[in-house]
Amino acid sequence: MSKPWSSLCQRLALIFIGAALLGWMADRLTLALLLAALGELAWQLWQLYRLDRWLNRDPDASLPGSGLVWREVAAHTARLRRQSRKRKRKLSRLLQQFQQATAALPDAAVVLDEEGRVVWCNGASQLLLGLAPGRDIGLPITHLLRHPGFVAFLNGQNPQRDGDSVEFPSPVDDHLLLGARIVPYGKKQRLLVVTDISRVRRLEQMQRDFVANVSHELRTPLTVITGYLETLLDSDSVVLDNWRQPLRCMQQQSSRMLHIIEDLLMLARLESQKERLSHRPVAIPALLADIADDALALSGDSSHRIEVHADPGLWIRGCEKELHSAFSNLVFNAVRYTPVEGQIEIRWWADSGGIHLAVTDNGEGIAPQHLPRLTERFYRVNRDRSRGSGGTGLGLSIVKHVLNHHGSQLRITSELGAGSVFTCDFPLELRVEPEPAPARFGTAYR
Ligand code: ADP
């Protein structure tokens, strides 16, 4: 037992023994014990009252309580109070630092509760989103930011690019383009972080415009050079006999440059938001038949076996020019990266998971570490091999952009030495009824 408690027990024992002795001598034992108990109770109540006053009114005054137990309780309470005051000071310092940091943030930060109501927001959210901390706390964020893309994103249905972020114009200034991300934390709370991405997008646009303009400017002189080189090569003049080999080499290189420029222009057009070609019903089976014919011509003496298995009634709504470019890139790649007499299969079908185009080859295949990067511009597994077969390094990048335009995705599976499968997955909503024209074929062997 601690010292204050043992001294309290001793004191109580002394009081009651003394009272019992006095009561016994006066023949009033019960009354003496009762008076002693009442006196002790009154004294303890008085100590309690002093402690209460000290706690409520004057925490800095000297410790109350004349009894050791009460002094101990008061000292313990004072210690806890000091610790709590210290903790409070530390927390408010941290809070102040946090508020200063978030106020200095160029990004808007908004804390949302489970129902999407604003719990807290920083200074930048006023500038970028027009939120006012005093006025908007407790209001649903979708009442304050009504852009349909943002609302869909908040509800977990992101119609844009990747699922991680959404872009929308600032409600304060139409010229500002904002990028928003949601970070879940704590007990079902969410932190909405909104960044001004206008400058980045402007720079990207400038870069795209520059590439498009340069490509456009180079196309005409290169077409002229290629034309003249062809004319020279067609000529029977003996003067040119010593020049045929260099001329052939020059013609090959200039037509390669023309291909790169055509692909860069195609990419620039695909990336441009302004220039969207209209979507119409496209007879994919007929399109695939044309591509297979071209692929056979490209194969030439390599004698690839090209099979097309296409559902003749399966048409989709899309941009024919873009789809032709994407599908032919996949099929021509299969021809270029599959050795002589290799097998290439083109399949076009629909199932409950969507509409699919798969181009399968039994060619050289691709090592797994290259797969995630194949759709980057100018990414090639083997630069010399790609150049040698007339590649530009832009084909799969074009495929990815075209599929993005159609709300679709590219899947690549490959095994080194065994072959590759490039699959385009289209949503079922793109399916349309074929227009009244005879379907050209179902299954064809070439
Ligand atoms: P390229 O013009 O070089 O073919 P692409 O963007 O079309 O550029 O393809 C990128 C790279 O992916 C190619 O360089 C090649 O290494 C690889 N690749 C594409 N298709 C195939 C395929 N069917 N089989 C093996 N490798 C392929």
Side-chain angles (χ1 to χ4, degrees):
M1 194 186 291
S2 69
K3 196 177 162 221
W5 283 102
S6 67
S7 73
L8 176 68
C9 292
Q10 276 171 17
R11 206 170 68 89
L12 286 176
L14 276 175
I15 288 170
F16 282 102
I17 289 168
L21 269 174
L22 284 173
W24 178 65
M25 283 192 300
D27 205 15
R28 288 278 192 277
L29 182 62
T30 319
L31 184 64
L33 284 175
L34 191 67
L35 283 174
L38 281 175
E40 182 59 25
L41 184 65
W43 192 80
Q44 297 295 349
L45 281 175
W46 168 240
Q47 296 301 327
L48 201 58
Y49 169 72
R50 287 178 62 201
L51 181 70
D52 182 53
R53 251 182 33 167
W54 174 72
L55 283 175
N56 286 326
R57 287 196 202 145
D58 190 7
D60 291 325
S62 56
L63 292 182
S66 6
L68 271 177
V69 171
W70 291 110
R71 284 201 78 79
E72 176 82 1
V73 171
H76 194 60
T77 314
R79 217 170 25 248
L80 286 178
R81 283 187 138 184
R82 268 199 307 279
Q83 281 173 0
S84 135
R85 268 207 297 268
K86 231 161 126 183
R87 237 194 331 262
K88 243 192 206 160
R89 271 202 299 273
K90 200 171 153 189
L91 277 177
S92 66
R93 237 190 349 260
L94 278 176
L95 192 65
Q96 218 176 354
Q97 280 170 4
F98 171 74
Q99 277 172 346
Q100 279 167 0
T102 51
L105 262 184
D107 297 344
V110 185
V111 174
L112 302 175
D113 68 9
E114 203 178 336
E115 270 106 42
R117 293 174 195 278
V118 178
V119 176
W120 172 89
C121 58
N122 70 345
S125 53
Q126 203 159 350
L127 291 174
L128 296 180
L129 304 171
L131 301 187
R135 187 193 59 200
D136 297 332
I137 300 295
L139 293 181
I141 188 74
T142 45
H143 288 192
L144 305 165
L145 305 175
R146 294 172 183 269
H147 186 273
F150 174 77
V151 175
F153 172 68
L154 205 72
N155 296 331
Q157 313 141 357
N158 190 4
Q160 293 180 12
R161 295 185 180 207
D162 46 42
D164 296 354
S165 61
V166 68
E167 292 176 15
F168 61 99
S170 163
V172 184
D173 178 355
D174 271 359
H175 296 103
L176 288 185
L177 185 66
L178 305 177
R181 295 172 72 88
I182 293 268
V183 188
Y185 77 100
K187 271 194 181 168
K188 298 190 178 167
Q189 290 206 317
R190 287 177 290 175
L191 178 67
L192 170 69
V193 185
V194 182
T195 315
D196 177 4
I197 51 169
S198 330
R199 203 166 155 263
V200 179
R201 290 288 174 269
R202 244 191 328 268
L203 285 174
E204 282 175 2
Q205 189 55 47
M206 276 166 64
Q207 196 186 19
R208 275 198 295 270
D209 289 349
F210 174 75
V211 173
N213 289 339
V214 170
S215 310
H216 198 73
E217 292 301 323
L218 286 177
R219 187 162 58 173
T220 315
L222 259 175
T223 313
V224 173
I225 292 171
T226 316
Y228 275 121
L229 286 170
E230 261 168 29
T231 314
L232 286 174
L233 279 168
D234 286 347
S235 150
D236 298 331
S237 167
V238 281
V239 184
L240 291 172
D241 278 355
N242 290 338
W243 289 94
R244 284 201 193 278
Q245 184 51 29
L247 282 174
R248 238 188 304 278
C249 187
M250 283 158 74
Q251 194 216 16
Q252 266 171 12
Q253 293 305 321
S254 57
S255 71
R256 224 192 108 228
M257 278 166 77
L258 257 180
H259 274 134
I260 293 178
I261 283 168
E262 295 296 343
D263 279 1
L264 281 173
L265 282 170
M266 173 88 180
L267 268 175
R269 200 182 56 68
L270 284 168
E271 282 178 339
S272 148
Q273 300 286 321
K274 293 170 234 149
E275 219 184 307
R276 285 267 158 99
L277 295 179
S278 60
H279 284 197
R280 301 208 168 113
V282 184
I284 301 290
L287 188 94
L288 293 177
D290 289 343
I291 293 173
D293 285 343
D294 294 343
L296 217 57
L298 178 72
S299 168
D301 294 340
S302 301
S303 313
H304 291 98
R305 185 176 158 84
I306 302 174
E307 290 180 15
V308 184
H309 301 279
D311 178 343
L314 185 54
W315 287 32
I316 59 168
R317 179 171 290 280
C319 169
E320 181 161 0
K321 196 173 161 206
E322 289 181 4
L323 290 170
H324 184 278
S325 170
F327 294 170
S328 55
N329 267 315
L330 293 179
V331 178
F332 295 169
N333 272 354
V335 172
R336 285 166 43 225
Y337 298 106
T338 302
V340 178
E341 291 179 0
Q343 293 261 5
I344 294 161
E345 186 197 35
I346 305 165
R347 285 207 305 137
W348 174 244
W349 79 104
D351 57 24
S352 57
I355 305 168
H356 316 276
L357 173 96
V359 180
T360 310
D361 65 63
N362 63 350
E364 59 193 52
I366 308 158
Q369 71 269 24
H370 297 294
L371 295 181
R373 300 196 56 192
L374 283 186
T375 54
E376 287 175 22
R377 287 170 192 211
F378 296 113
Y379 187 86
R380 288 123 153 176
V381 175
N382 183 333
R383 196 163 280 269
D384 295 335
R385 172 96 176 73
S386 158
R387 279 203 191 117
S389 63
T392 61
L394 295 167
L396 292 181
S397 188
I398 291 176
V399 173
K400 189 178 119 179
H401 276 87
V402 169
L403 294 186
N404 272 351
H405 269 195
H406 290 79
S408 315
Q409 291 195 336
L410 177 67
R411 268 186 297 134
I412 310 171
T413 50
S414 188
E415 199 183 322
L416 209 53
S420 315
V421 188
F422 288 76
T423 312
C424 308
D425 297 317
F426 295 88
L428 277 172
E429 301 84 70
L430 289 189
R431 184 169 191 165
V432 287
E433 281 304 310
E435 287 180 351
R440 287 177 54 180
F441 69 97
T443 298
Y445 297 89
R446 279 136 204 278

